[in-house]
Amino acid sequence: MTQFWLNGQARDIPDTPCLLLDYLRAQQLTGNKGPCREGDCGACQVLVCDDPQQQPASFRAQTACLLRLQDLAGQHVLTIEGLQQDGNGNKIAVPDRHLNLLQQLLADAGASQCGFCSPGLVIGCVNWLLNGPQLTLAEGENWLNGNLCRCTGYMGQRRALQQMTNTLGETLRRSRNRLQTLVDEGIVPGYILPDYILHRHSAHTLAVTPENTGNGESPTTATALPSGSAAHTHTGAPCMVIGGGTDLYLQQPLATLPAGNQLARSHDAVIRQSRTGLFLNARQPLQTIAAALAQKQLLPAFARFNQLFASLPIRNRATLGGNLAHASPVADSIPFLLVLNATLHTSQRVIPVQDFFTGFKQTALQAGEVIEWIQLPADTNNAIIHFDKVSRRGTTDIATVNCAGCWHVQQQTIVDVRLAMGGASPMPVRLSALEDALRGSDLEKLRAEDFKSRLPELFQQH
């Protein structure tokens, strides 16, 4: 039986596919709410560590309503209840309980009213304190934009974030192990530290599946499919290889999906540089890619694209490969990668991104084929790149329409330009007529001629 960790305890994963949210509530862990079941409201957020033995362990917020329990093998899940437990599933004795620093800051700022969204808000704050690079107020507001609240008007949360910045910001920015620092501050429990997990291994013999024996020390970790191969259920029916599942689990009931579906996991590098270009790991979460690019100061336009893509808990799960393979006409990654002239490296071949889409939600992928890497041309870093979208709820909603542009400019002359738009047709399209009109133009003259007045005519040519 495959297992995972839940609030410090090893748990068996049932054979029947189910969402983590439903499993938690069946276990009477009802702090996680499921009002939207679309990953939009943040009320079901949990912290997930994909490698509990890593030093230091890395916990990131994700939405339990879009997590399949079977995809969490070998991982550690921390719920709101787990923040006040002892690692054995027992609540801390009432006389010993008191408001920790985070709870006190939230209470003093009036950041909670009816309390329905409070568990998700607390998890979101812990995620920010653990992983936020700057720990500024603006960053906190951005990182918690997936936590909706109908009562407070958000000013209470804003005051609380400012107090967290003032009280904890400098200490955490200087810390080499934020998880340990938050344990020392009493904000998160010590049993989520890797040393505790390793100690538990000596006391438990954890069951493993026949097809993956692991190393005998931790709950079994699900493996990726070998390159070029397809998984099958016990009936011989083919299974899908999926990205993060944030699109698939939203649109299809789990009961209709093959039980053997596997995540396209990857332990390879997040990004790679070579003379032929910049390679992005299509199987890594978007937020992981964004962090790796920012650390190396590469492709700064990716930061804006990533921020507009979805709320942070979704970006902690969703992958570029999954977004491409889903092939929605308004998938944000498609126009962005179209204008970058990206090339897709699959488990079987190399495909230019412009040849990847064959129709409405149709792609050139063959059975068992997995998108592994996305290659960007070597001159990408020298281009002017912009991505934007129109949606009802800004950064946390699907696009009504999205667009991207990539300009190569020399001495105020547009040497080359690529423009793309999604949501205007069954597939995202390049705006070739507009590109032709812009190519070779002088930027100053374009401003003087009020080029915007010509746009309706050019768009009609599509």
Side-chain angles (χ1 to χ4, degrees):
M1 178 71 73
T2 307
Q3 296 180 312
F4 77 117
W5 295 101
L6 176 61
N7 295 334
Q9 293 183 295
R11 297 287 189 98
D12 292 337
I13 296 178
D15 293 331
T16 304
C18 66
L19 292 171
L20 175 62
L21 174 62
D22 296 327
Y23 175 85
L24 293 176
R25 296 187 66 82
Q27 302 299 311
Q28 304 305 310
L29 297 174
T30 55
N32 294 88
K33 309 298 194 294
C36 78
R37 288 184 172 266
E38 294 182 349
D40 283 344
C41 70
C44 68
Q45 282 188 36
V46 295
L47 292 169
V48 180
C49 177
D50 59 4
D51 185 359
Q53 297 183 62
Q54 180 184 357
Q55 293 279 5
S58 178
F59 282 84
R60 301 187 184 279
Q62 298 183 28
T63 54
C65 68
L66 294 180
L67 287 178
R68 190 178 69 155
L69 187 60
Q70 285 69 24
D71 297 332
L72 296 172
Q75 302 183 37
H76 193 174
V77 175
L78 182 69
T79 70
I80 188 66
E81 293 86 357
L83 293 177
Q84 289 291 316
Q85 290 181 353
D86 61 3
N88 295 309
N90 303 315
K91 293 181 180 178
I92 299 174
V94 174
D96 299 331
R97 271 194 253 165
H98 61 279
L99 294 182
N100 63 38
L101 178 58
L102 175 58
Q103 293 169 323
Q104 192 67 58
L105 292 175
L106 290 168
D108 291 346
S112 178
Q113 193 162 325
C114 80
F116 189 86
C117 70
S118 298
L121 174 64
V122 171
I123 293 294
C125 289
V126 173
N127 174 65
W128 175 55
L129 295 175
L130 279 172
N131 303 299
Q134 303 299 325
L135 295 181
T136 61
L137 174 60
E139 181 186 78
E141 290 179 315
N142 176 38
W143 277 49
L144 267 73
N145 65 11
N147 292 86
L148 300 187
C149 174
R150 297 185 64 183
C151 297
T152 67
Y154 300 103
M155 291 308 296
Q157 288 96 325
R158 193 175 190 275
R159 289 191 295 268
L161 291 175
Q162 184 64 69
Q163 287 304 311
M164 290 177 212
T165 295
N166 297 343
T167 307
L168 293 165
E170 184 62 26
T171 299
L172 292 174
R173 281 191 293 269
R174 295 173 61 181
S175 174
R176 295 185 178 182
N177 187 338
R178 288 195 187 181
L179 186 61
Q180 181 66 63
T181 301
L182 291 182
V183 169
D184 296 340
E185 292 284 352
I187 293 176
V188 298
Y191 68 78
I192 68 175
L193 295 171
D195 289 345
Y196 176 90
I197 297 296
L198 291 172
H199 172 72
R200 277 295 180 98
H201 295 331
S202 63
H204 292 83
T205 302
L206 297 174
V208 296
T209 56
E211 57 270 17
N212 180 15
T213 57
N215 58 15
E217 293 185 335
S218 64
T220 305
T221 301
T223 59
L225 291 179
S227 294
S229 66
H232 291 76
T233 63
H234 64 280
T235 62
C239 294
M240 287 183 287
V241 182
I242 62 176
T246 54
D247 277 324
L248 188 66
Y249 297 157
L250 171 64
Q251 299 189 7
Q252 289 187 252
L254 293 186
T256 67
L257 299 173
N261 283 357
Q262 294 191 36
L263 292 177
R265 295 188 185 278
S266 171
H267 298 289
D268 297 329
V270 178
I271 60 175
R272 293 194 327 228
Q273 285 181 274
S274 73
R275 288 178 297 178
T276 59
L278 176 64
F279 290 79
L280 311 180
N281 193 327
R283 298 155 293 174
Q284 290 280 4
L286 271 84
Q287 188 65 24
T288 304
I289 295 175
L293 289 171
Q295 184 179 24
K296 293 186 176 294
Q297 298 183 334
L298 295 170
L299 193 60
F302 194 92
R304 176 175 173 81
F305 159 75
N306 183 59
Q307 181 178 343
L308 292 178
F309 183 90
S311 65
L312 184 67
I314 299 299
R315 301 199 306 265
N316 279 336
R317 190 72 179 179
T319 65
L320 278 176
N323 194 238
L324 285 167
H326 187 64
S328 166
V330 289
D332 288 336
S333 66
I334 300 177
F336 185 69
L337 294 176
L338 274 173
V339 301
L340 296 183
N341 247 4
T343 302
L344 311 184
H345 293 246
T346 77
S347 52
Q348 299 179 13
R349 54 187 167 144
V350 176
I351 310 174
V353 68
Q354 61 265 26
D355 298 333
F356 181 70
F357 304 98
T358 58
F360 177 69
K361 289 197 172 184
Q362 301 294 318
T363 73
L365 282 178
Q366 301 171 357
E369 192 173 9
V370 180
I371 305 172
E372 296 183 340
W373 292 92
I374 296 169
Q375 179 183 359
L376 306 180
D379 62 352
T380 298
N381 247 20
N382 300 323
I384 301 170
I385 304 164
H386 187 74
F387 172 83
D388 218 329
K389 66 190 284 187
V390 176
S391 56
R392 296 184 65 184
R393 281 182 47 215
T395 62
T396 57
D397 205 356
I398 191 170
T400 302
V401 65
N402 49 27
C403 59
C406 178
W407 295 264
H408 290 269
V409 178
Q410 293 181 4
Q411 298 179 345
Q412 290 296 307
T413 299
I414 301 175
V415 178
D416 193 18
V417 58
R418 293 185 292 273
L419 305 170
M421 176 176 289
S425 64
M427 296 185 298
V429 293
R430 286 274 298 273
L431 306 178
S432 55
L434 187 54
E435 292 173 355
D436 292 341
L438 288 170
R439 196 173 290 113
S441 299
D442 183 280
L443 288 177
E444 293 300 326
K445 289 184 178 180
L446 285 177
R447 295 189 184 101
E449 293 173 359
D450 188 16
F451 188 74
K452 290 182 180 179
S453 62
R454 296 177 55 196
L455 290 178
E457 175 191 349
L458 293 169
F459 271 106
Q460 285 183 0
Q461 297 182 34
H462 291 277

